[in-house]
Amino acid sequence: MVLTFVLLILGFIVLIKGADLLVDGASSLAKKLGVSSLFIGLTVVAFGTSTPELAVNLFASFRGESDIAIGNIIGSNIANILLILGISAAIFPLALKKGTVWKEIPLCFLAVLLVLFMANDAFTDGADFSLLTRIDGLVLLAFFIIFLYYSFGVSKVVAGDGERIARYPFLKSVAMIAAGLVCLIVGGKWIVDGAVAVAHLFEVSEALI
């Protein structure tokens, strides 16, 4: 059982390091290809920092551990908005652009409402249980593509500051991306295995873990 806790902790460490490598490598590569800094921030960095959740959820889904998959996403977004944004704003006031207030934040709210509607089959259709089906997943991916299109349009209008993105040689950037993906796969598996074992050990739900 000690090994389970060790692997769980190592999983988090490997997962976080993998996300860092992936974001740094992908950002550097995107900059070399002439992609604007704003677009990199809205896409490469934003999605790269979400790859730990993606890795954990893929392993959880393949194993049929839906409580871990759903709980991971809900807990992650609550922590991002309330904890991380709250700490950041408490340390130093965060300036918001008009486009963020009237476009990005409503898009975020729309995503929440969309999942709320899709995940409530018992309320909307009178079903005995609720499911996020493959069709629901495709609809969410379609909205994701719309957001990508919007982000690309914004990046061409608003100038970005490219000095904050570290630049590495092409081969090093590719190697960092590859290493990051490997770390995400290994770390994600260790976390899911450890989380399930811990839930069983303490007799708590996998959703809580």
Side-chain angles (χ1 to χ4, degrees), residues 27-163:
S27 298
S28 173
L29 186 60
K31 199 62 186 174
K32 281 184 173 295
L33 297 176
V35 179
S36 73
S37 301
L38 180 62
F39 186 70
I40 293 173
L42 287 172
T43 55
V44 176
V45 176
F47 307 153
T49 54
S50 295
T51 46
E53 287 87 352
L54 175 61
V56 170
N57 274 29
L58 285 177
F59 280 104
S61 297
F62 286 135
R63 292 185 48 168
E65 309 289 352
S66 59
D67 283 347
I68 289 181
I70 297 297
N72 177 35
I73 293 301
I74 295 174
S76 173
N77 281 279
I78 290 175
N80 277 331
I81 295 175
L82 301 183
L83 176 64
I84 298 176
L85 191 61
I87 291 175
S88 301
I91 294 174
F92 189 83
L94 303 175
L96 295 175
K97 294 182 179 180
K98 185 176 181 180
T100 300
V101 175
W102 294 104
K103 293 180 181 179
E104 281 88 17
I105 291 178
L107 279 173
C108 180
F109 188 57
L110 174 62
V112 174
L113 289 178
L114 193 61
V115 174
L116 176 65
F117 177 78
M118 291 180 172
N120 274 279
D121 295 334
F123 177 76
T124 57
D125 296 330
D128 295 331
F129 51 86
S130 297
L131 287 174
L132 278 176
T133 64
R134 288 187 177 90
I135 296 298
D136 294 335
L138 292 174
V139 171
L140 293 174
L141 288 174
F143 274 91
F144 176 71
I145 293 173
I146 293 173
F147 172 74
L148 281 180
Y149 179 78
Y150 162 77
S151 300
F152 182 71
V154 170
S155 70
K156 294 195 298 183
V157 175
V158 182
D161 176 17
E163 298 302 320

